Amino acid sequence: MRIPEKRTIPAVKHDRRRIAIFLFRSAPKPSPRCSKRRGPPFPPRLCLFFAVFQLTVLLFARDVEITVEDAGLGIALEGAAVRSWDGGEWRCDAEGKVRLQVPGDRRVVIRVSYPGYENGSLLVPLEGESFTIALRLGGIMEGRELVIEAPRLGTSETRSGRSVAISGRELARTAEIGIVEDVMTSIKLLPGVGYTGSLGALPSIRGGEPGDLTAVLDGFYIERPYHWGGLFSIFDPKMVESARLSHGVFSARYGHTISGLLEVSSKRAHPEAAELELGLSTSAVNLSLSYPLGGRGGLMAMGRVTYWDPYVELMKLFVDEVRYVRRAPYIRSAAFSGYYRFSGDLEWNASAFFGSDGIGVSYDSRRREPYIHIDSSSRFDYYNLLGFLVTGLTFNPADNMVLKTSLGTGFYQTGVDGKTNNETKIWNNSLSTFYPISPRNTFIKLTNSTFNYQARADFDGDRGGGVRFAAGGQELVSQWLQRFESLRYREVEMPPGTYTSGPLPWEFNVHNRALNSSAYSLLEYSSENQKFGAELGLRIDHLYFIGRDFTIQTVPAFNPRLNLDFGILKNRGIIDSLSATAGTGLFSSLNNNISAIENRSGINNFELKQNRSWTSLLGLKIDLAQSCSFNIEGYFKYVFDRAYQLLDNTGSASEVEYYFDGKGLIWGFDLMLQKFESPYWDGWLSYSFNYTRYRDPHNHSDDEGSPATNWYYPSYHRFHYLNLVLNFKPLKQFHIAFRTGLASGVPIRKTGTPAPYQVNMDSEKVTVWEQDEWYSDSARTTLSIPMDIKFSFFRFNRKGRVQSEIYLSIENTLSLFYMPKGNTSFNRYTGQEEKDSEKVSYELPIPMISFGFKWSY
């Protein structure tokens, strides 16, 4: 993830092409000739092996010279990164040239990247000794067999104080692992991302609420991009080219979040070569196919199907809870992407996705307690559908301008159908037998459908003199159709000291819409010597809420943002560069639960508010000559106008109350020491500290020690996160990926000793046990210690373009010896503690062994 420092290319009078590239970055000036990065030396016992191996390669290799230059100016792109066929990485010299060896008996692909331009790949033929790749700003590339792979003007990669980017290669190492391969597995390893355990794709980003993380795929905002209710995301690493998490004071181009923005870029087809990739893993099969469109574009289709039935049958032998699975959990998904270049200044692109997931569970039990017999039969079915389609145009009206437009639509639907039938008998002393009472049957039915429509336009222009201007707007229309019914039983104290069991229904049926309008403008400045840079922007977000028989007007949210970048040192001893960043700004987002607001909720105009936060940040980054980087960032957030809901169960039915005056105080810091990619090893060590407290002024609960009107730690909060990620490459054909970490516990409620009391059920009385619970700042689960390991074996076909990989991974390897613990549970009818009830639910109970095979052509 190493990002070269910025470098200014002096503008030339009357030449717009030179002015256009003033802001983009190049690598620090290398030695007069590019040299391959080297890691630590190998052990002596392997020296002979590698000497023979290298001699074999030399006998069938030839030297080629690659030149990388700007298409419009013909100037050399010093510092451009060239990745060779065997994984080695080289940097171009001051003339934009690099020499490297390629096999003499087959064609190989050389990949080229230069921040600010689009990445590309060159298919080196069997003949020829020198090749030139000409890159042009604005997203158009010219050269032999090139493929567009990276964002256009108006986007960026990793930026201190703003975002962290993960490339496709890094995603393959850390995300292609486990029972479900998921991009969020990699995102959860980044600094500032809260630990969620193996089962969870909804992390807290720097103290923010987990549901506030906003996801964007190819510019399209996705509402709830998750499978199985948030256990995994829809982002299959085999369909993703790169991912970027913005958790600092990021650009005013994006909004709809007060904590974090996840930008995902899907893979794009090669414009001149068809490609096929097949992947098989423990529980899924993946297939992707790309087809070129005459050198001007390409189409790509991808699909994933899980086959969990054999796996579930095996797990039933080890995990009791799995025995009740009636229909094995499943995921079905398909994705499409395409682009076509009509001319040097106009390109069309499109992306589409459709996915489904679900599970079915049946549970029968016979409970025999001293004074009560309960026979129950439960059935639960869940399904989820998700899809979207987005298309857009990118147009260069001039060499220093880019205009992007997009139009899209999407939907998701979730259905839940669960019911429990109970036959209860209570001991009757007068009859000396168990006497049946009226059934206590419960149920829940939910259908939640959402449709959204999005239109967006963005403009970026170079004003010259180190100034760039950008502006844009978006309209996002959401439509929510929700129907919910449930029935459960509660114990009511009427009169005081007497408890009676009675039904508690809950029902709502809503048909709401929301018009979310956004506009932004910003100015960026960068000095010629890269000593100073600034970005000043303003974003305005406005919500208009339309219900079935009511409307709610809101106050627009004004979100100014300012970032300052300082280049302190450059090329001083072992320090390649030392830079600092400072930023501050306002952010806004919508709470997902407002979609269920009804007319009876009693919310008037301008009472509904967007969640707001004021975020400030300071950062320091050091790039070292040994291909290492150290980054530290400290942040402070003040959250206000936060939406929260309270459930009122005092009446004959449950009612939801909405409030928009919640507050929060968040501060912390992130450290990251990273070793950039090298032939032998790379990885990173990160540590995050986070302090988060919230306050809900209308929560007047009288439970002993409850938060009430006091500040409290949210249920997902952890103070400390530590991640160690290492990738070892003892051989080109064999890699080892290792990940471990530490995470402090989450808050739990303090509990008292279970005590018995009498409850009236019909005309009978039964003794049940209950314990008091109350909030405590000090009560938490124990440490979480995840540990995963992955072994990858690669094979290259020397006569063609076939590559294959076989991997074996072990996830949560320490679970046989250690599991984090929380509160214990007890038998409600005897008061006795239940066995193994203190283990937390967010960790896998046993190590998960998985394997995979990937074949590509």
Side-chain angles (χ1 to χ4, degrees):
M1 291 190 294
R2 187 180 191 186
I3 299 300
E5 60 186 331
K6 295 180 179 179
R7 176 180 174 86
T8 298
I9 302 178
V12 177
K13 188 176 181 181
H14 304 309
D15 192 333
R16 292 181 300 175
R17 297 178 185 269
R18 291 187 181 269
I19 297 175
I21 58 178
F22 76 94
L23 193 59
F24 300 108
R25 303 172 176 174
S26 66
K29 186 175 181 179
S31 57
R33 210 61 170 166
C34 245
S35 61
K36 191 173 183 179
R37 295 186 189 173
R38 295 290 182 184
F42 263 58
R45 69 181 64 180
L46 295 180
C47 289
L48 179 60
F49 171 81
F50 281 103
V52 175
F53 179 81
Q54 294 294 338
L55 179 60
T56 303
V57 172
L58 289 174
L59 292 176
F60 299 96
R62 61 191 177 96
D63 290 339
V64 296
E65 183 180 75
I66 306 295
T67 303
V68 183
E69 63 182 30
D70 179 273
L73 302 173
I75 60 174
L77 297 182
E78 176 188 0
V82 178
R83 192 186 304 277
S84 68
W85 65 278
D86 60 356
E89 186 172 312
W90 305 67
R91 294 284 181 180
C92 293
D93 59 19
E95 298 178 354
K97 300 180 182 295
V98 61
R99 292 193 67 85
L100 66 158
Q101 288 184 338
V102 298
D105 58 344
R106 69 187 191 280
R107 299 183 300 172
V108 295
V109 176
I110 303 298
R111 299 190 179 276
V112 182
S113 62
Y114 190 80
Y117 291 77
E118 293 185 340
N119 298 350
S121 62
L122 169 66
L123 185 61
V124 180
L126 295 176
E127 298 180 355
E129 296 182 354
S130 61
F131 306 92
T132 299
I133 301 176
L135 310 183
R136 179 182 169 189
L137 288 176
I140 308 304
M141 304 184 63
E142 298 175 356
R144 175 188 290 220
E145 303 196 36
L146 293 176
V147 58
I148 298 175
E149 296 181 325
R152 299 175 173 276
L153 177 65
T155 63
S156 62
E157 300 177 4
T158 297
R159 300 189 67 183
S160 179
R162 298 166 178 79
S163 60
V164 180
I166 301 181
S167 67
R169 177 172 292 223
E170 291 165 324
L171 288 173
R173 292 172 182 158
T174 56
E176 293 180 2
I177 185 174
I179 55 177
V180 175
E181 298 179 354
D182 185 4
V183 167
M184 288 304 299
T185 303
S186 298
I187 298 299
K188 291 188 293 185
L189 300 177
L190 298 177
V193 180
Y195 179 73
T196 63
S198 303
L199 302 176
L202 285 163
S204 167
I205 308 298
R206 286 183 170 173
E209 295 186 10
D212 192 69
L213 175 63
T214 297
V216 178
L217 178 62
D218 295 335
F220 185 85
Y221 284 91
I222 307 176
E223 196 165 351
R224 302 182 186 179
Y226 303 105
H227 290 304
W228 298 342
L231 295 185
F232 302 97
S233 80
I234 66 171
F235 302 121
D236 182 353
K238 292 183 175 64
M239 63 175 274
V240 173
E241 180 65 31
S242 64
R244 181 175 65 174
L245 176 67
S246 299
H247 52 22
V249 182
F250 52 87
S251 171
R253 291 183 175 89
Y254 291 103
H256 307 300
T257 179
I258 63 173
S259 60
L261 174 73
L262 178 62
E263 298 172 75
V264 179
S265 299
S266 59
K267 288 184 178 178
R268 298 185 62 164
H270 196 293
E272 294 186 359
E275 295 178 329
L276 174 66
E277 183 174 299
L278 172 67
L280 297 173
S281 66
T282 307
S283 58
V285 58
N286 300 73
L287 179 67
S288 66
L289 174 66
S290 67
Y291 186 79
L293 297 177
R296 289 180 172 267
L299 302 174
M300 176 173 283
M302 295 156 282
R304 173 168 67 172
V305 176
T306 60
Y307 41 85
W308 270 63
D309 300 78
Y311 202 76
V312 168
E313 293 301 318
L314 177 63
M315 290 295 295
K316 288 180 179 180
L317 302 176
F318 303 97
V319 183
D320 289 340
E321 291 78 2
V322 181
R323 292 187 291 111
Y324 308 118
V325 175
R326 174 172 42 84
R327 182 179 185 181
Y330 65 90
I331 294 176
R332 311 282 190 267
S333 63
F336 166 85
S337 65
Y339 69 98
Y340 188 80
R341 192 177 307 131
F342 295 99
S343 66
D345 297 320
L346 181 64
E347 181 180 300
W348 164 85
N349 62 82
S351 297
F353 176 88
F354 177 80
S356 66
D357 58 273
I359 188 174
V361 177
S362 294
Y363 176 78
D364 296 321
S365 69
R366 291 169 54 88
R367 191 163 192 167
R368 296 295 181 261
E369 304 296 348
Y371 300 101
I372 187 170
H373 290 177
I374 303 176
D375 294 336
S376 64
S377 175
S378 301
R379 183 184 179 94
F380 176 87
D381 290 286
Y382 163 85
Y383 75 89
N384 180 61
L385 304 175
L386 172 70
F388 66 85
L389 170 66
V390 59
T391 183
L393 292 173
T394 301
F395 176 58
N396 298 90
D399 293 328
N400 60 344
M401 297 180 185
V402 176
L403 176 64
K404 300 174 67 175
T405 61
S406 64
L407 184 67
T409 182
F411 79 97
Y412 80 84
Q413 183 181 83
T414 297
V416 175
D417 187 0
K419 61 181 179 180
T420 299
N421 296 326
N422 294 309
E423 293 184 4
T424 304
K425 296 180 180 180
I426 299 175
W427 178 259
N428 187 296
N429 287 324
S430 61
L431 299 177
S432 298
T433 186
F434 284 91
Y435 184 82
I437 64 173
S438 58
R440 258 62 177 172
N441 298 333
T442 62
F443 71 87
I444 178 174
K445 291 184 178 180
L446 168 68
T447 303
N448 184 1
S449 302
T450 294
F451 303 89
N452 65 69
Y453 314 92
Q454 302 179 27
R456 182 181 179 112
D458 298 270
F459 171 81
D460 281 74
D462 174 16
R463 307 294 296 176
V467 179
R468 184 166 67 172
F469 170 77
Q474 182 185 43
E475 187 68 31
L476 197 161
V477 181
S478 298
Q479 182 178 9
W480 300 300
L481 306 174
Q482 300 181 16
R483 182 172 180 81
F484 177 82
E485 295 179 85
S486 73
L487 176 66
R488 62 187 181 92
Y489 282 78
R490 61 173 175 175
E491 294 163 3
V492 182
E493 189 175 12
M494 284 179 52
T498 302
Y499 293 88
T500 302
S501 175
L504 180 64
W506 186 10
E507 179 180 358
F508 61 82
N509 187 2
V510 299
H511 183 181
N512 294 329
R513 287 175 294 164
L515 306 181
N516 201 323
S517 305
S518 304
Y520 74 89
S521 64
L522 61 88
L523 284 173
E524 289 184 275
Y525 170 76
S526 180
S527 63
E528 183 175 346
N529 56 9
Q530 301 297 310
K531 289 292 186 180
F532 176 72
E535 179 182 323
L536 176 64
L538 173 64
R539 181 182 180 88
I540 302 175
D541 293 300
H542 176 256
L543 172 69
Y544 183 60
F545 195 92
I546 305 173
R548 178 176 293 169
D549 51 1
F550 68 100
T551 61
I552 303 176
Q553 183 61 270
T554 67
V555 177
F558 288 81
N559 299 314
R561 300 171 195 174
L562 173 65
N563 279 291
L564 302 175
D565 299 303
F566 304 92
I568 302 174
L569 292 176
K570 182 179 178 182
N571 298 328
R572 296 287 184 88
I574 65 171
I575 299 177
D576 278 352
S577 65
L578 172 63
S579 60
T581 184
T584 187
L586 291 174
F587 297 82
S588 61
S589 70
L590 292 178
N591 188 305
N592 288 331
N593 292 328
I594 71 168
S595 60
I597 288 177
E598 299 178 89
N599 195 9
R600 64 182 180 180
S601 301
I603 302 175
N604 299 318
N605 285 333
F606 307 112
E607 290 183 352
L608 192 157
K609 299 178 181 178
Q610 301 183 55
N611 298 330
R612 304 296 305 281
S613 77
W614 170 48
T615 301
S616 297
L617 180 142
L618 292 173
L620 185 70
K621 183 179 181 182
I622 304 175
D623 288 332
L624 303 176
Q626 288 79 18
S627 298
C628 294
S629 175
F630 176 75
N631 190 49
I632 179 172
E633 294 180 4
Y635 57 89
F636 172 81
K637 297 181 183 181
Y638 173 64
V639 179
F640 57 99
D641 292 345
R642 184 178 64 89
Y644 60 96
Q645 296 80 40
L646 300 177
L647 188 61
D648 183 7
N649 291 326
T650 58
S652 59
S654 297
E655 294 289 344
V656 179
E657 299 175 351
Y658 295 88
Y659 300 98
F660 304 93
D661 57 355
K663 293 178 171 56
L665 289 176
I666 303 172
W667 64 273
F669 60 88
D670 302 324
L671 307 174
M672 186 175 186
L673 177 63
Q674 184 177 8
K675 172 68 171 66
F676 297 117
E677 184 169 328
S678 71
Y680 304 131
W681 75 282
D682 54 75
W684 69 82
L685 173 67
S686 66
Y687 168 75
S688 298
F689 174 83
N690 177 266
Y691 178 92
T692 300
R693 301 272 276 182
Y694 284 131
R695 181 173 180 262
D696 302 334
H698 282 85
N699 182 6
H700 297 301
S701 171
D702 56 2
D703 293 340
E704 180 184 356
S706 70
T709 57
N710 299 319
W711 294 86
Y712 65 94
Y713 296 110
S715 60
Y716 54 83
H717 173 255
R718 299 178 188 266
F719 281 108
H720 309 280
Y721 318 93
L722 178 70
N723 281 312
L724 175 63
V725 179
L726 295 174
N727 301 300
F728 300 102
K729 311 167 191 176
L731 300 172
K732 293 179 181 178
Q733 294 84 3
F734 177 57
H735 293 178
I736 302 174
F738 175 79
R739 177 257 168 148
T740 188
L742 291 172
S744 59
V746 295
I748 54 177
R749 297 179 71 82
K750 278 206 168 184
T751 58
T753 303
Y757 64 98
Q758 296 286 319
V759 176
N760 293 324
M761 293 186 178
D762 292 351
S763 59
E764 303 294 331
K765 289 187 177 181
V766 64
T767 300
V768 297
W769 294 71
E770 193 58 83
Q771 63 181 175
D772 292 330
E773 296 183 356
W774 62 93
Y775 172 83
S776 172
D777 281 343
S778 60
R780 290 181 176 263
T781 60
T782 58
L783 284 173
S784 294
I785 311 176
M787 182 180 292
D788 308 326
I789 189 168
K790 176 182 177 182
F791 304 95
S792 299
F793 304 86
F794 301 91
R795 186 175 182 272
F796 305 93
N797 187 326
R798 294 183 174 274
K799 295 183 179 181
R801 301 175 59 188
V802 177
Q803 297 183 13
S804 61
E805 174 190 356
I806 300 175
Y807 75 80
L808 173 69
S809 66
I810 306 175
E811 196 174 13
N812 204 25
T813 57
L814 298 181
S815 59
L816 289 178
F817 313 101
Y818 174 80
M819 285 284 289
K821 297 180 179 180
N823 285 331
T824 58
S825 59
F826 63 94
N827 187 316
R828 190 165 183 258
Y829 299 102
T830 65
Q832 297 179 352
E833 181 180 307
E834 295 185 338
K835 184 181 179 181
D836 293 333
S837 60
E838 76 280 1
K839 293 181 180 179
V840 300
S841 60
Y842 52 78
E843 295 288 7
L844 292 171
I846 61 174
M848 303 299 289
I849 300 176
S850 59
F851 64 89
F853 170 78
K854 184 166 62 175
W855 179 91
S856 61
Y857 173 80

